[in-house]
Amino acid sequence: MFGSLHIKALQVLELWQQKGLWEAVKFSVFVTKVAVPVEMDLVNFKPPNDRFKEKGMELIDVSLENFKPGNYFFPVKSRREKIRRNLGKGYRAFLLLDGRDVIGDLWYVISDDGMSKVVHPDVSMFNLNLGPEDVYMYDLYITQERRQEVGSNNLLGSALDSLKRRGYRKAFGFFETDNIPALWMHRLLGYQELPRYVLRRFLFFRSATLKVKSVL
């Protein structure tokens, strides 16, 4: 609980510095949004061209077993604290490195790896059927000053390609409808959209209910 509180406080401070007080208040108190769970067929996925190697960047896969904190520098404090907490739960991450600097990260969960201490709450919240060859991906982040250079499509596409080459068949995730860049990122990469949910968050608590289609 205290770890979550610390991360939340760091996120609020970072959002305040980037987008102002009102956005920080909205993020920290109460939010109601529409969430769209998505599914990717990795068997037929065609990855984008790898732009990271030519720029001297490297995408690595880390877990609690192979993560060495002294090898990496996290420019964003909340991401540094998040990796300590999430790896302890058995979650995994892709880290995008420029030298030692972690300029992007993306989290995922595997259903049967024997490491996860808890099932990620999104999996049950969105009623996802996560099989032994499936992954759930969430929380893509790129440092603000490198977002245009890196591109979220490139980071997610490269991560999906890595999972496909390791034999996984499906990747699940979700986006919120007011996040237009995320909407187009998932559509351009070829995700299938699943039934929508009304997502509510109050402080640390989240819930989701299936969105009922209006009848005209």
Side-chain angles (χ1 to χ4, degrees), residues 3-21:
S4 298
L5 181 61
H6 186 207
I7 293 172
K8 186 80 168 183
L10 289 172
Q11 289 176 320
V12 171
L13 179 59
E14 290 161 0
L15 191 59
W16 187 352
Q17 294 171 341
Q18 295 173 11
K19 296 186 177 181
L21 177 60

Side-chain angles (χ1 to χ4, degrees), residues 40 42 45-48 50 52 58-62 92-95 106 108 110 135 137 154-171:
M40 168 64 74
L42 290 175
F45 173 66
K46 296 181 179 179
D50 185 354
F52 297 145
E58 181 184 10
L59 187 69
I60 65 170
D61 189 335
V62 298
R92 297 170 178 257
F94 288 100
L95 303 184
L106 171 60
Y108 72 99
I110 302 171
V135 302
M137 308 178 76
N154 296 326
L155 178 51
L156 179 55
S158 295
L160 290 169
D161 183 43
S162 176
L163 293 169
K164 175 181 178 177
R165 286 187 279 107
R166 286 157 53 190
Y168 293 101
R169 301 181 65 84
K170 286 185 180 180

Side-chain angles (χ1 to χ4, degrees), residues 104-124:
D105 59 87
L106 171 60
W107 289 89
Y108 72 99
V109 177
I110 302 171
S111 65
D112 68 339
D113 64 349
M115 294 178 59
S116 299
K117 298 178 181 178
V118 293
V119 176
H120 194 279
D122 289 358
V123 174
S124 57

